[in-house]
Amino acid sequence: MSVVEFREVIKRFGKVEALRGASFTIPEKTVTAFLGPNGAGKTTSMKLIMGFLKPSKGEVLVWGEEPWRNEGVRNRIGYLPEKPVYPADIVVEDFLSYLARLRRVGRLDVERVIRLVGLEGVADRRVGTLSRGYLQRVGIAQSLLGDPELLILDEPTANLDPAARREILDLLKVLHKDLKVSMIISSHIIPELQEVANYAVFIDKGLVLDYGYLSDLWKRYEIEAVFNIEAVDAGAVARILVEKHYVRSVKRVGERVLEVSIDPGYYKAFEGALTELSHLVKSYSFKTTSLGDLYEKVVRSRL
Ligand SMILES: Nc1ncnc2c1ncn2[C@@H]1O[C@H](COP(=O)(O)OP(=O)(O)OP(=O)(O)O)[C@@H](O)[C@H]1O
Ligand SMILES: [Mg+2]
């Protein structure tokens, strides 16, 4: 069964049509990127999934149920709002304990989420004294209370500096790996979503332009991923990489630098191969942000 299904969903706020007949499905065990410009309808879609809003027309189904009719659905979802507001004077741990009581979640769960998101060092600090990065961890911690089956994170890296952004992204990767929880993450920063997502829903002006597994979308829109690799022995690395079935080409662009093009669905396999070659590879980086290319192509194909 799919986790989320939108059937021709229309959502109006007075005269504004935030969603204009949006349809998509999200399968189990995915990390889904909600991608779209400001005002596309990402936050509205998330609130519909939470059951905070009711569709004006069409159907929103979460685990086959309509969330606005069925509060039980909401209890299985963790939510990080777009603009969370935290009380400044309360100590981090007390704040989480308070939320745990409200949601009838055991005290032990507070310790668990504090550990999970790395808040141990600041658990006794007042919320108002935390940096933005740590505040965002508090937000993610509260979303994890009660061990939800689905996490909805509305722009979890917005307003963070590059280092904090990096930390939150790494945290999300670890959470997905350790908790195996499905996630929906919105952002308009495409390259960073590429690292965590394996599924995408492209939203623009209240319409869903396309959606699906990234591995399918890469193929459908014929996108390739190009990496730059700095190697100790470029020749040796090149000889090994050309043998991989997902490697399309290996070019030597400097004495120690290779440009490698791979089928984009094989990002993880490629990373694994580079890890095995860590004695030969000094560093590697994305040359193209292929999710960006994909986004361009999806949008262009609908014009
Ligand atoms: N409560 C509301 N009342 C009136 N209009 C609203 C309301 N909520 C959202 N809208 C409008 O609906 C449209 C979609 O908004 P939404 O917040 O879902 O976009 P978004 O994709 O999350 O954008 P952003 O990237 O800026 O967060 C916008 O035009 C917005 O102004
Ligand atoms: Mg939004």
Side-chain angles (χ1 to χ4, degrees):
M1 194 207 293
S2 50
V3 178
V4 173
E5 183 172 357
F6 274 47
R7 293 183 182 158
E8 296 293 321
V9 175
I10 295 176
K11 180 63 201 175
R12 291 190 201 95
F13 298 103
K15 284 191 185 143
V16 179
E17 245 183 14
L19 293 178
R20 304 187 291 147
S23 299
F24 62 87
T25 58
I26 296 179
E28 295 270 8
K29 299 195 175 44
T30 46
V31 177
T32 298
F34 265 9
L35 285 166
N38 287 131
K42 304 182 294 294
T43 298
T44 303
S45 299
M46 289 178 157
K47 288 181 176 168
L48 283 161
I49 295 170
M50 288 301 289
F52 296 144
L53 296 174
K54 179 184 158 197
S56 312
K57 243 180 160 182
E59 248 184 336
V60 173
L61 297 173
V62 183
W63 295 298
E65 311 233 28
E66 289 189 285
W68 63 273
R69 284 184 206 272
N70 185 338
E71 193 141 337
V73 171
R74 193 182 301 170
N75 296 335
R76 296 166 63 188
I77 311 178
Y79 179 51
L80 174 72
E82 186 170 33
K83 295 172 199 144
V85 183
Y86 303 109
D89 281 335
I90 186 169
V91 169
V92 170
E93 188 169 358
D94 294 345
F95 176 54
L96 291 171
S97 300
Y98 164 75
L99 291 177
R101 270 202 305 282
L102 276 187
R103 298 185 205 162
R104 298 174 208 283
V105 168
R107 172 80 193 78
L108 273 178
D109 207 44
V110 174
E111 286 165 31
R112 182 185 73 99
V113 300
I114 285 178
R115 265 201 317 277
L116 271 173
V117 307
L119 279 173
E120 298 99 327
V122 299
D124 56 356
R125 293 239 316 252
R126 282 178 203 286
V127 172
T129 68
L130 298 180
S131 67
R132 279 206 170 135
Y134 272 95
L135 270 182
Q136 203 62 326
R137 281 173 197 253
V138 172
I140 293 170
Q142 66 73 30
S143 78
L144 291 169
L145 286 170
D147 213 359
E149 293 154 68
L150 170 66
L151 271 188
I152 299 185
L153 309 172
D154 200 350
E155 299 200 34
T157 59
N159 299 316
L160 299 180
D161 66 34
R165 207 168 231 163
R166 181 75 263 146
E167 285 176 16
I168 295 294
L169 276 178
D170 289 341
L171 171 62
L172 296 182
K173 281 192 201 171
V174 170
L175 289 177
H176 178 65
K177 202 161 140 256
D178 291 357
L179 304 177
K180 300 188 174 51
V181 61
S182 302
M183 297 190 196
I184 302 175
I185 306 172
S186 76
S187 175
H188 24 240
I189 304 166
I190 293 169
E192 68 180 30
L193 279 178
Q194 176 162 349
E195 289 185 40
V196 284
N198 60 0
Y199 199 86
V201 178
F202 294 94
I203 310 177
D204 192 18
K205 300 190 190 77
L207 290 173
V208 171
L209 304 180
D210 208 344
Y211 65 93
Y213 283 100
L214 287 178
S215 50
D216 294 336
L217 291 168
W218 301 132
K219 287 196 197 113
R220 205 180 310 154
Y221 290 91
E222 297 179 335
I223 305 281
E224 63 176 357
V226 180
F227 289 81
N228 274 333
I229 298 178
E230 203 190 339
V232 183
D233 182 345
V237 173
R239 279 193 296 281
I240 295 165
L241 290 180
V242 283
E243 295 296 321
K244 309 280 181 197
H245 66 90
Y246 50 79
V247 170
R248 293 181 182 176
S249 68
V250 179
K251 252 192 280 175
R252 192 135 176 195
V253 292
E255 196 191 334
R256 296 190 165 173
V257 186
L258 297 171
E259 194 180 286
V260 181
S261 164
I262 66 163
D263 292 337
Y266 291 89
Y267 179 78
K268 280 217 174 75
F270 184 64
E271 252 191 344
L274 291 180
T275 310
E276 276 175 31
L277 295 174
S278 59
H279 54 295
L280 294 174
V281 171
K282 270 173 88 178
S283 65
Y284 66 94
S285 59
F286 253 128
K287 187 160 173 263
T288 50
T289 54
S290 37
L291 194 53
D293 295 349
L294 179 59
Y295 186 77
E296 292 290 310
K297 283 204 174 175
V298 172
V299 171
R300 232 180 294 135
S301 73
R302 304 292 134 160
L303 291 179

